[in-house]
Amino acid sequence: MGEKALLVLEDGVVFKGEFFGASSEVFGEVVFSTGMTGYQEALTDPSYRGQILTMTYPLAGNYGINSEDFESNEIQVRGLLVSGACEFPSNHRAEKTLGTFLKDYKIPGLQGIDTRALTRKLRKHGTMRGKICREGIDTEKVAEELRKTPYPDNEDLLPEVSRNNEEIYEADGNLKVTLIDCGAKENIIRCLVKRGVTVRVVPARTGAEDILKEADGVMISNGPGDPSKASYVIDTVKSLFGEIPLFGICLGHQIIGLAAGAKAYKLKFGHRGLNHGVKELETGRVHITTQNHGYSIDEKSLEKTGFEVTHVNLNDGSVEGMRHKDLPIFSVQYHPEGCPGPRDNEYLFDKFVEAMNAKKK
């Protein structure tokens, strides 16, 4: 048995468990993901920065951890909550256990948590501030402190996840894309490179003139937090309108919307998982998508921006995709690169390549 531990929520509710991974105390925004698999990709997804992640599927760690399925160079969550953690993974690719992985990066994990009850609470009341603590502390005092502590996304989180220097990923084709790194998942780069696109990844604070250098298109990546806090990226993207094909994913989608003059709002408990239904309005086709975001673009605020909605979420009707009516600019709120999740939506990268080829002609 591991050391006893607690999750204390801002309203004073306490969930009991035991440490696996690092035995340390952390504060974060408590969120949940409905994915049955993909815990390694989720843990290393920069969009989870500042958050304590709850996995709703009761089994975690069954196929272990390997050195290939990273979506960034480190664990990005502040803590992990699971019902049960497997200590003896079974998979030919497994190199270590989930618990060892967490210890390597000094990230606390709690197992034995009633994740069903916790998820139901977050769905009813919305995401909450929480703290992973050792047993024996004054939980009422912790809850009081939590209520006074700003949410992690109250500040710009991009400096914590964006590269400090540009990196180039060479490919065989003749197209070049500049990827603005707001916390980009590695599979975005892989999806472009395997289509023959050379990718130049630049820090989030890179200026427009540098971004356009030798570029046939620009991508704005996923990332954590409130999109309005990244005002410098919004201003940069606004100056790129009409200059070059643009494609935004997740936070990049929200930044394009804000650059166009639309507004974003925080969802009650966000969309996080691998099986979210999204309807493509033009065809009526429903896509099963990977999602990880806590904000959305307000559909009404898109009026008079030149943009139109292309995709909607089938659970709550929120905007999941949009495009400019005249310019080669489009974006989606979900993750077409998957990792984890279905790969059905990679066609959007083909669409981006087509837009760049059309612009070159």
Side-chain angles (χ1 to χ4, degrees), residues 288-307:
I288 302 303
T289 68
T290 295
Q291 306 215 3
N292 177 13
H293 57 270
Y295 288 80
S296 183
I297 291 294
D298 180 357
E299 182 176 359
K300 291 182 179 179
S301 70
L302 283 173
E303 295 177 8
K304 299 179 181 179
T305 64
F307 281 82

Side-chain angles (χ1 to χ4, degrees), residues 277-292:
V278 166
K279 184 176 182 180
E280 186 176 23
L281 298 181
E282 188 173 42
T283 63
R285 183 179 178 184
V286 173
H287 301 274
I288 302 303
T289 68
T290 295
Q291 306 215 3
N292 177 13

Side-chain angles (χ1 to χ4, degrees), residues 222-254:
N222 64 292
D226 182 347
S228 67
K229 303 299 182 185
S231 57
Y232 48 96
V233 187
I234 295 168
D235 292 340
T236 299
V237 170
K238 186 175 182 179
S239 69
L240 298 175
F241 282 15
E243 295 287 337
I244 198 166
L246 301 178
F247 179 19
I249 291 176
C250 198
L251 182 75
H253 158 83
Q254 297 159 7

Side-chain angles (χ1 to χ4, degrees), residues 122-134:
L122 296 176
R123 281 184 58 87
K124 182 176 181 180
H125 299 286
T127 59
M128 305 180 77
R129 288 163 291 196
K131 188 173 182 179
I132 292 174
C133 304
R134 292 182 175 84

Side-chain angles (χ1 to χ4, degrees), residues 178-189:
T178 301
L179 173 61
I180 302 174
D181 181 17
C182 300
K185 288 170 61 183
E186 289 295 319
N187 205 45
I188 293 176
I189 299 168

